[in-house]
């Protein structure tokens, strides 16, 4: 009996003439029946939500007072992004923000601004603040990714519910996903990937004139392709791809590379089926490309060739390469991990490999067991090649860089590819391993009472156990100054004006950006934390070069020494303020070396500051 037939029977008979006199009762009955019918799926989804809430519970119950301990700088940046994204609801649709790096601004497409997520939760941001939105997205991305892959495995691949839940859980809570949750919202939002895969599968089935799968199952009328489904699948794929661009382009890039590898491997395993569907499948893909190009032509042009746009990556691929020894190691963020694992990666947000020996062995064993299945062949090929790409241009083993080239060396220097860190190719391995494990568990669970029915799921559970994540650590953050929370900034800088914090924000010290976030980015700031074209030759850089005045203030903030300010430096300070379009200079209480900074600022500006709430201010002009 088919799944749809079973579901139809479960619903029971439908009355021919429902009682219209009690519409509320009818709706409640329908809802109750739907809950009963899908109770197991609901239980799985609730479990994933509870797990994600537990992993992020240290951010609650007051997100505005907490910071992720392992990457607070990026959290500050993403909260600014979310506050900036929320301005769409206020009618600001510009892709060039003038609220950072004044007066040049910041190209929002060239930065990981998660525009779609920020717009989706803009009401939350404007009502409760960007820190609440950030905390919701950290937890929500993990749960939503697990749920989306669960339904992909269960409903599209047709695997046993327990196997699908196992695969979904690994996709949502694998070491790499939990590690990236340390403020990399654009990398953990992978819940659209299963939607793309479903649309591609739907397109493949519609492209087959025989109406069957490679295994011979009849799915539709034979004799001609389903052109309507080809058109709708292609159109929706173009829309979903465009949406993913506004969430995280790097995830889309990794997905595309992975699917290309898997397509080639699948076609090699089932050449007749591949040739049979090729013409119609290509037609469907052309529809997707046409829709995607129509939606993305201007934003992508703006990203690469527009104001403040960049066409290359800001990070060194040789440095951000996975260590070969990190694959069998266990992440420090997992229950079985240790601090020694930190030596095998670049930071706590990049534990992208770290599967542990048990899981590596279990994955290889499951792949060997099912290797005759085309999907497993494709998944295994994708796993091996994406893992190899993650090793970067030169293979690193236990911290030692060898002369052995990696396959990434072939791609090194190519446009777009340089924008992806090699070690993040390992993140694409997570759904592939989940697929192999889910299919192996599904097969074992359908073997009756043979030993494999218990042995395979048990072995997979034991292999996954060391990778179980511990909650993300968080710490108290410094409260926003009363100058911001009390709205006193409005007396100093007009809405849309430029506030100069003392000292200015930098990629390493972005904390003043939280002031703008707390004011819903109602004012701009010079310099700051962003990606822009300030490296030699207009290449990508992290932040911008510092003006002489900001250099002096940064030095005083670092050392506490008050310099002898010359007339030339005072004249330069006036020019810097004019260049920034500054309206007000602000030094808040609690800033490190605040006394020395106040003396230096007064010397640079030639006058004492005005006390406003918990800040010293200097109006400009």
């Amino acid at each position: 009996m088919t799944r749809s037939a079973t579901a139809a029977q479960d619903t029971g008979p439908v009355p021919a003439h429902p009682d219209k006199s009690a519409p509320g009762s009818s709706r409640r009955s329908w809802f109750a029946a739907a809950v009963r019918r899908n109770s197991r799926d609901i239980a799985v989804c609730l479990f994933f939500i509870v797990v994600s809430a537990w992993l992020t519970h240290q951010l609650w119950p007051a997100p505005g007072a907490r910071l992720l301990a392992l990457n607070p700088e990026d959290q500050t940046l993403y909260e600014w992004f979310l506050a900036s994204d929320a301005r769409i609801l206020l009618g600001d649709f510009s892709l060039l923000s003038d609220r950072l790096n004044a007066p040049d601004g910041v190209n929002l497409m060239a930065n990981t601004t998660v525009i779609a997520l920020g717009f989706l939760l803009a009401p939350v941001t404007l009502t409760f603040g960007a820190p609440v939105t950030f905390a919701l997205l950290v937890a929500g991305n993990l749960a939503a990714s697990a749920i989306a892959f669960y339904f992909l495995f269960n409903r599209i691949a047709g695997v046993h519910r327990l196997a699908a839940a196992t695969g979904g859980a690994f996709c949502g809570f694998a070491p790499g996903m939990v590690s990236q949750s340390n403020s990399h919202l654009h990398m953990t939002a992978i819940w659209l990937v299963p939607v793309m895969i479903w649309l591609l599968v739907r397109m493949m089935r519609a492209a087959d004139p025989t109406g069957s799968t490679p295994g011979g199952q009849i799915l539709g009328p034979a004799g001609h392709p389903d052109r309507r489904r080809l058109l709708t699948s292609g159109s929706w794929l173009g829309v979903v791809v465009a949406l993913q661009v506004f969430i995280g382009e790097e995830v889309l890039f990794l997905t595309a590379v992975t699917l290309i590898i898997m397509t080639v491997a699948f076609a090699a395993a089932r050449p007749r089926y591949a040739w049979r569907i090729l013409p119609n499948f290509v037609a469907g893909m052309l529809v997707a490309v046409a829709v995607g190009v129509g939606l993305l032509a201007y934003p992508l042009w703006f990203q690469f060739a527009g104001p403040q746009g960049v066409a290359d990556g800001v990070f060194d691929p040789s440095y951000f390469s996975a260590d070969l020894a990190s694959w069998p190691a266990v992440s420090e963020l997992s229950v079985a991990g240790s601090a020694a694992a930190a030596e095998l990666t670049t930071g706590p947000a990049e534990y992208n490999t770290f599967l542990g020996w048990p899981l590596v062995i279990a994955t290889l064993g499951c792949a060997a067991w099912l290797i005759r299945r085309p999907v497993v062949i494709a998944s295994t090929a994708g796993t091996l090649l994406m893992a190899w790409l993650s090793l970067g241009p030169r293979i690193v083993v236990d911290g030692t860089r060898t002369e052995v080239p990696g396959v990434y060396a072939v791609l090194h220097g190519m446009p777009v590819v340089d924008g992806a860190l090699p070690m993040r190719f390992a993140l694409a391995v997570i759904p592939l391993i989940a697929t192999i494990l889910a299919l192996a568990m599904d097969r074992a669970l359908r073997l009756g009472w043979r030993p494999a029915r218990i042995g395979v799921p048990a072995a997979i559970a034991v292999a996954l156990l060391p990778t179980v994540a511990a909650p993300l650590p968080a710490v108290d953050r410094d409260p926003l100054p009363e100058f911001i929370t009390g709205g006193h900034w409005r007396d100093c800088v007009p809405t849309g004006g430029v506030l100069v914090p003392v000292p200015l924000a930098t990629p390493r010290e972005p904390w003043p950006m939280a002031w703008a976030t707390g004011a819903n980015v109602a004012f701009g700031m010079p310099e700051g934390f962003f990606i822009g074209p300030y490296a030699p030759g207009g290449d990508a850089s992290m932040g911008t070069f510092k003006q002489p005045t900001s250099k002096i203030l940064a030095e005083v903030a670092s050392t506490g020494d008050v310099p002898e300010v010359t007339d030339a430096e005072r004249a330069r300070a006036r020019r810097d303020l004019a260049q920034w379009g500054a309206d007000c200079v602000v030094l808040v209480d609690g800033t490190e070396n605040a006394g020395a900074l106040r003396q230096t600022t007064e010397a640079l500006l030639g006058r004492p500051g005005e006390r406003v709430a918990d800040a010293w201010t200097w109006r400009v002009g």
Side-chain angles (χ1 to χ4, degrees):
M1 183 178 293
T2 65
R3 185 189 307 273
S4 59
T6 302
Q9 285 190 359
D10 289 344
T11 61
V14 179
H17 302 285
D19 182 8
K20 297 182 180 180
S21 64
S25 176
S26 177
R27 284 193 295 269
R28 286 193 296 270
S29 298
W30 174 87
F31 180 76
V35 170
R36 286 194 300 271
R37 187 168 59 251
N38 299 287
S39 59
R40 294 181 181 179
D41 292 332
I42 293 172
V44 171
C45 294
L46 289 176
F47 172 74
F48 290 153
I49 292 171
V50 169
V51 171
S52 64
W54 175 70
L55 289 175
T56 59
H57 77 271
Q58 291 194 30
L59 283 176
W60 301 94
R66 303 286 284 170
L67 280 172
L68 289 172
L70 300 180
N71 196 4
E73 296 85 1
D74 278 359
Q75 180 173 346
T76 303
L77 172 65
Y78 273 90
E79 288 177 354
W80 187 93
F81 284 158
L82 293 169
S84 176
D85 298 337
R87 294 186 55 78
I88 298 174
L89 283 188
L90 305 178
D92 185 354
F93 300 99
S94 176
L95 295 177
L96 181 71
S97 174
D98 63 353
R99 303 304 164 94
L100 197 62
N101 189 38
D104 295 338
V106 171
N107 187 313
L108 298 179
M109 290 300 299
N111 286 264
T112 55
T113 45
V114 292
I115 293 174
L117 298 181
F119 170 69
L120 180 66
L121 293 181
V124 176
T125 301
L126 295 176
T127 304
F128 301 104
V132 174
T133 303
F134 177 86
L136 286 173
L137 286 172
V138 173
N141 279 344
L142 294 176
S145 298
I147 290 169
F149 275 98
Y150 163 73
F151 281 111
L152 175 71
F153 293 138
N154 183 241
R155 301 298 174 85
I156 307 304
V159 304
H160 190 282
R161 183 174 281 105
L162 178 60
T166 301
F170 187 70
C171 288
F173 308 113
M177 287 288 287
V178 174
S179 175
Q180 291 290 331
S181 292
N182 284 293
S183 302
H184 291 169
L185 299 180
H186 66 302
M187 296 305 302
T188 58
I190 65 171
W191 33 268
L192 281 181
V193 174
V195 179
M196 297 181 215
I197 297 172
W198 169 65
L199 289 169
L200 287 169
V201 171
R202 190 173 186 262
M203 195 184 303
M204 289 172 59
R205 293 172 175 175
D208 190 352
T210 68
S212 64
T213 66
Q217 180 185 4
I218 302 299
L219 297 172
H224 59 82
D226 190 334
R227 292 185 175 84
R228 183 185 66 82
R229 286 201 169 195
L230 280 173
L231 178 62
T232 57
S233 298
S235 299
W236 278 111
L237 181 60
V239 171
V240 174
V241 165
L243 183 58
Q244 182 63 52
V245 166
F246 289 100
I247 295 176
E249 291 181 66
E250 198 166 349
V251 167
L252 180 62
F253 170 75
L254 295 175
T255 301
V257 173
T258 305
L259 290 176
I260 289 171
I261 296 169
M262 293 182 70
T263 299
V264 172
F266 188 93
R270 292 293 184 270
R272 291 184 180 179
Y273 175 76
W275 279 111
R276 190 166 71 236
I277 71 169
L278 181 62
N280 297 315
F281 183 78
V282 169
M285 287 300 297
L286 289 175
V287 172
V289 170
V291 172
V293 168
L295 295 172
L296 293 172
Y298 176 72
L300 291 181
W301 171 84
F302 197 93
Q303 174 179 344
F304 295 111
Q308 298 297 105
V310 295
D312 60 332
V314 70
F315 301 108
D316 180 8
S318 296
Y319 178 73
F320 287 96
S321 299
D323 192 312
L324 184 61
S326 69
W327 283 97
V330 179
S331 166
E332 185 181 10
L333 303 180
S334 297
V335 293
S338 67
E343 301 297 323
L344 299 175
T345 189
T346 60
E350 300 295 345
Y351 285 104
N352 304 323
T353 48
F354 296 89
L355 299 179
W357 274 118
L359 185 54
V360 171
I361 294 171
T363 302
L364 292 174
C366 291
W369 187 36
L370 304 177
I371 197 59
R372 297 184 65 181
R373 298 182 63 170
V375 173
V376 175
I377 293 173
S379 297
T380 303
T383 297
L384 295 175
L385 194 47
M386 295 301 281
W388 193 4
L389 282 166
S390 75
L391 301 179
R394 291 287 183 273
I395 306 299
V396 178
V397 182
D398 203 14
T400 301
R401 191 171 302 278
T402 71
E403 293 303 316
V404 180
V407 69
Y408 186 90
V410 178
L411 307 177
H412 189 25
M414 291 178 61
V416 180
V417 174
D418 261 358
L421 296 130
M423 63 190 345
R424 290 186 182 170
F425 280 83
L427 295 172
V429 172
I430 292 171
L432 301 178
I433 289 178
T435 300
I436 295 171
L437 297 180
L439 291 174
M441 185 178 290
D442 175 71
R443 181 178 178 184
L445 292 172
R446 299 181 190 277
L447 289 178
W449 289 105
R450 298 181 186 180
R453 179 179 173 86
I454 297 176
V456 171
I460 291 174
V462 169
L464 289 172
L465 193 59
T467 70
V468 171
L472 294 170
V475 296
D476 291 335
R477 73 166 91 191
D478 293 334
L480 287 175
E482 202 271 333
F483 177 78
I484 297 295
T485 59
H488 301 286
W489 62 269
R490 294 186 178 89
D491 298 327
C492 190
V493 56
T495 299
V498 175
L499 183 152
V500 179
V502 178
L504 282 74
T506 67
R508 290 184 180 274
E509 301 282 340
W511 320 123
M513 289 171 59
W515 306 355
T517 300
N520 290 323
V521 197
F523 54 79
M525 289 182 170
E527 302 182 8
F529 184 10
F530 62 95
I531 293 175
Y534 294 102
D539 288 341
S541 65
M542 188 64 71
T544 182
F545 45 83
K546 300 187 75 62
Q547 297 295 341
T549 302
S550 58
K551 282 184 180 179
I552 292 173
L553 295 175
E555 182 68 19
V556 174
S558 175
T559 65
D561 297 330
V562 179
E564 188 71 31
V565 176
T566 66
D567 289 340
E569 288 169 332
R570 274 188 283 270
R572 182 66 218 207
R574 290 193 294 271
R575 290 197 297 272
D576 288 342
L577 292 173
Q579 178 182 340
W580 292 329
D583 294 288
C584 189
V585 179
V586 178
L587 170 64
V588 301
D589 293 350
T591 302
E592 189 172 2
N593 294 317
L597 283 168
R598 178 187 170 193
Q599 293 180 54
T600 304
T601 304
E602 289 178 341
L604 286 169
L605 300 184
R607 64 183 189 276
E610 177 186 355
R611 185 69 176 175
V612 179
D614 56 353
W616 291 97
T617 67
W618 293 262
R619 298 175 189 270
V620 179

